[in-house]
Amino acid sequence: MPDLKQLLADMSRAIVDYPDKIAIDEQDEGDTVVFTLTVAESDMGKIIGKHGKNARSIRTVMKAAANTVGKKVIVDIAE
């Protein structure tokens, strides 16, 4: 069973310049897990990517991983 929070943290650390400033808040709402990802202000553009491509890719991987354990996942990126 994949650790979804750790997966999100690992993907985010690979993208940003300041991996120690990553904070992830997890809320379990039954069959749905909501992650709120906070990064350093200077890394916001990197985590979102051009036209939102990085954010979309992160969400796609997280949804696929959550699907393997029968959960739904929502990834919010806090500004």
Side-chain angles (χ1 to χ4, degrees):
M1 178 168 120
D3 182 6
L4 298 176
K5 186 173 182 177
Q6 187 63 42
L7 176 63
L8 179 58
D10 290 343
M11 285 191 297
S12 300
R13 281 190 197 106
I15 297 172
V16 299
D17 287 333
Y18 301 101
D20 55 325
K21 303 247 180 173
I22 291 175
I24 300 172
D25 181 43
E26 179 179 3
Q27 295 177 348
D28 197 353
E29 301 173 355
D31 67 337
T32 303
V33 181
V34 179
F35 291 107
T36 304
L37 175 65
T38 307
V39 296
E41 190 174 330
S42 60
D43 287 331
M44 190 59 74
K46 289 184 183 206
I47 206 76
I48 293 173
K50 287 186 180 180
H51 304 289
K53 285 185 179 182
N54 288 350
R56 195 172 318 122
S57 297
I58 288 170
R59 289 180 177 124
T60 300
V61 170
M62 291 300 294
K63 285 180 183 181
N67 196 25
T68 63
V69 293
K71 295 241 181 200
K72 293 181 181 177
V73 70
I74 299 171
V75 178
D76 290 329
I77 300 172
E79 293 185 25

